[in-house]
Each structure stands twice: as structure tokens, then as C-alpha cells.
Amino acid sequence: MNCFRIRPLPHARQATSIIALQSFSQSSDQEIKFYFMDEQAKKVEEAHLKLDYCYMQKQYPVMLYDSCDGCLLFKNRDFLCVRSIFVIWNPKTNEQVTITMRGSAFQVCGFYFNPHNNEYEVLLIYPSREGEIESYAFDVLSFGSKLRRNIGRYAYMPRSERPPMIINGKLYWMVDNIYSRGEVNCSTSIMTFKIRTNKLSTMHHGGGSCEEGANVGLFGKHEYMHLIEMEGKLGLCVLSDTELVLWILNPATNSWAKAHSLTLPRYYPPKYFSCWPNKLDVEVVKIKDRKLLVRQKNRLLLWDLDLNTHKLLEKKGFENDNFRPAIHTPSAVSLKTDKLIELDR
């Protein structure tokens, strides 16, 4: 199996970050349309990603997942796909790598730099059965050494619509309520992965215990929660109608505290609009300098926490489009590998 090595770029984190937006309305199953804009939407640039690997499943589109050291990451997120793929693309150099596995059993749930072996790695997950017990197997693929190793099985799996928050050597996701084999409740609602030890575990979310009733939804209230980084700490966003409550985790005490509560404006998108394949109607994209970047259906809001005011960021050229956002820091990192990496079961 051929893999690539990316050298860490200390200057990448000092570069200016921009917002990368994938337009679902203007993308096809083989070409993805992009808009890159600054946080004030004063400058908007267009870009196209033509997928090197032919992928034809329109019902499970390849969608923007995350950004890491100048590379944008894409995946199709569902285990029902005929072929799962994970795409790494550098918009500045136009280099592209596709990781794929035939069959419906493979997902990438994390891409990160491991400082303990100086390598970039991906965390892979696929269903596993041991006797009558069904769970999930987790593998780590290290690009530099070209090693893929199994780190064990776990009854829980992370939700796939958002990337993990990577904070102090740990990856954090909300637990998937549908596919997890273990019981999902408030105390097991967040899943963690420690890079140094490869240890998987679960933890309690912020706020009180979820109650049955209004706004709980088909799969529990946890579907209205997502994670975010806040001031270098783990943050939790809880949605209820138009209210957005932000919680922050104190790592020293392992306790949550309410950080902010705000009321989002009511918004009615164009007729027949659908957020699909986004699972969330509203999500916090970024928190920095006490300002929130929020996707509310098909629009972007910049929220000032100090003034408790917001403004709409103009999406020039794709005003009514459904889109997927990510915070991106451009760099000229080079991907030195074959364009296609096929994994074996």
C-alpha cells in the first residue's frame, strides 16, 4: 500500500485563515464547486475540484469534511455506500489523493498529526463481529511508515457529519445514536480517542440530563448537539428551536460550565430548500475573539458575543445555495504519493 508523508508546517498556523464553502447546488458527482471567502465576505474566489477517482453515487455525495495544514478533506459519510472514499486535496497546488475500500464497511473518522511518531495518520472504522457480539474495529493508518495497525474494537462509533475536535492530543466526537452497538445516554454521548495511547472512551456531555418531551427528536436530544473548540478547550453547542447554548469543558475538573446563550433569528429559506446532505440545520463553524461564525441553513451569520449582535455574510455568486463550510488555512504542502490508495479488508 502506497501512502504519502506530509511534513509539519509551523508557519501554516500563522497564515490567514479563510472560509471554504462547498456548494451542493452547483456540484456534481464528479466535480465539486467551491467558494473561498474571508471572514468579512469582502473577497470571494471560485474554485473547482474535479475528482480523479470516478464516483457515481449521487445519493451519497462526496462532501467537505475538514481542513488540515492546507489540505481540504472530503468523504462520503454513510456505511450504505457501495464504495467508501476519503479525498485529500490541496487547493493551492491542486494535488489530490483518494483513499478507498471496496464495499460498504469503511469510514475515515479522523485525520491528524501524531507528534509522538512525527507522522500524519487517519483513523479508520468498520463493522466487526466476534461470535455473537457486534462492534466496530478501529485501525490507524500512518502515512510516513506506511503502516496500518488495528487498535481494538469498540461498541460505539462517532457521528460522521462533523470532524472531530482535536484538543491537547485527543479527538472528540458526538456518539452516533443510530449505529452504535452500546447504549447511548447522557454519560456516553461523547466519544474520545487519545493519540498517544490509542485509547477509545466515552464521556458525559454538558448541561443537565436530557429529558423526554419537546425537541428530543427521533433519536434523542443528542442529535441537536455538536462539538466545537472554544479558547483551546472542548465546547458543546446545544440547539433548541432558535436558542443556541454554548458549554465549555474544564479539563482540570472534567466539569462543564455554561459559557453563552443566544437567540438566533428566525429564518425561512427559499421554497423547497433542503439542507441535505447536511444533517444539521444550524451549526457553529468557528469561535474566535468572542465572535461566532454560524451556518443557519443556507446562510452564514457572524455573531458578536460582546455586543450580542449579528450580521449576515453575503455569499456572492451562490446566495441561495446549500453549502458545507470549513475553516481553511492555505499552504503549499506537497502530497508525494500515488493518487489512489486502495485498502484491503
Side-chain angles (χ1 to χ4, degrees):
M1 176 174 53
N2 293 318
C3 301
F4 66 84
R5 182 173 182 81
I6 308 176
R7 297 185 181 277
L9 298 176
H11 65 274
R13 289 177 173 81
Q14 301 171 3
T16 301
S17 295
I18 58 177
I19 310 170
L21 304 107
Q22 174 188 355
S23 169
F24 290 121
S25 308
Q26 300 182 45
S27 298
S28 68
D29 52 339
Q30 297 185 51
E31 185 174 74
I32 299 175
K33 178 67 173 292
F34 271 91
Y35 291 88
F36 295 97
M37 54 191 283
D38 59 32
E39 294 188 10
Q40 299 296 328
K42 294 180 180 179
K43 182 179 180 182
V44 179
E45 297 181 355
E46 297 183 21
H48 294 263
L49 166 60
K50 186 173 183 180
L51 297 175
D52 289 340
Y53 183 83
C54 183
Y55 179 80
M56 301 297 292
Q57 280 192 277
K58 293 183 180 181
Q59 66 270 39
Y60 301 111
V62 177
M63 61 186 294
L64 180 61
Y65 181 61
D66 200 7
S67 174
C68 180
D69 283 356
C71 294
L72 291 175
L73 315 176
F74 306 81
K75 60 183 286 188
N76 52 355
R77 70 184 187 199
D78 205 302
F79 276 126
L80 300 177
C81 302
V82 172
R83 182 185 283 271
S84 300
I85 69 171
F86 184 74
V87 179
I88 304 169
W89 175 54
N90 188 323
K92 194 167 187 177
T93 65
N94 206 35
E95 290 182 291
Q96 181 183 160
V97 170
T98 302
I99 303 173
T100 184
M101 178 189 290
R102 185 180 297 277
S104 61
F106 149 79
Q107 281 283 307
V108 170
C109 54
F111 178 90
Y112 56 90
F113 177 72
N114 187 340
H116 309 296
N117 59 15
N118 200 36
E119 295 191 39
Y120 280 82
E121 298 178 334
V122 292
L123 185 62
L124 311 170
I125 178 175
Y126 48 92
S128 177
R129 176 187 290 270
E130 190 171 0
E132 297 297 320
I133 301 176
E134 293 184 347
S135 61
Y136 293 96
F138 287 80
D139 290 1
V140 171
L141 172 64
S142 300
F143 288 130
S145 60
K146 303 180 182 180
L147 293 177
R148 177 184 170 192
R149 63 190 187 279
N150 179 259
I151 60 170
R153 293 177 173 83
Y154 205 54
Y156 298 92
M157 69 166 291
R159 265 180 17 202
S160 60
E161 75 271 13
R162 286 176 59 90
M165 295 297 106
I166 305 177
I167 302 171
N168 296 329
K170 268 190 176 182
L171 280 66
Y172 297 86
W173 312 259
M174 294 301 300
V175 166
D176 193 300
N177 291 331
I178 303 174
Y179 289 112
S180 291
R181 306 302 185 187
E183 180 184 358
V184 181
N185 52 44
C186 295
S187 63
T188 60
S189 57
I190 296 177
M191 186 172 169
T192 72
F193 170 73
K194 194 170 184 179
I195 295 174
R196 176 185 284 274
T197 62
N198 293 328
K199 181 182 178 181
L200 296 160
S201 61
T202 57
M203 57 179 284
H204 200 288
H205 66 69
S209 296
C210 298
E211 298 178 356
E212 297 295 331
N215 301 321
V216 171
L218 180 61
F219 301 108
K221 192 173 181 180
H222 303 147
E223 68 176 314
Y224 295 97
M225 301 177 178
H226 64 276
L227 302 176
I228 195 73
E229 181 181 349
M230 296 176 59
E231 304 167 4
K233 299 179 181 179
L234 182 64
L236 176 74
C237 306
V238 182
L239 294 165
S240 176
D241 292 331
T242 58
E243 185 183 21
L244 174 62
V245 181
L246 302 175
W247 296 79
I248 190 169
L249 179 68
N250 184 331
T253 61
N254 201 33
S255 60
W256 293 89
K258 184 183 289 188
H260 304 284
S261 178
L262 52 97
T263 301
L264 296 174
R266 289 195 176 273
Y267 170 62
Y268 300 97
K271 193 175 182 180
Y272 305 119
F273 174 81
S274 171
C275 278
W276 184 89
N278 287 318
K279 281 191 175 180
L280 298 171
D281 286 348
V282 178
E283 61 179 324
V284 177
V285 182
K286 180 183 179 181
I287 301 177
K288 184 180 180 181
D289 299 330
R290 296 186 60 79
K291 290 183 173 59
L292 274 67
L293 182 65
V294 181
R295 178 184 67 80
Q296 186 182 34
K297 297 184 179 180
N298 68 325
R299 65 180 193 168
L300 279 173
L301 303 176
L302 189 61
W303 201 287
D304 190 313
L305 291 173
D306 292 327
L307 301 176
N308 195 27
T309 59
H310 70 277
K311 67 177 182 178
L312 180 67
L313 296 187
E314 184 180 359
K315 300 180 4 262
K316 299 176 183 177
F318 62 120
E319 288 81 358
N320 293 323
D321 286 10
N322 184 21
F323 66 94
R324 180 80 193 140
I327 303 301
H328 177 63
T329 305
S331 77
V333 62
S334 179
L335 309 182
K336 299 178 180 179
T337 185
D338 294 337
K339 292 184 176 181
L340 180 64
I341 301 172
E342 292 200 76
L343 303 175
D344 298 324
R345 279 297 304 269

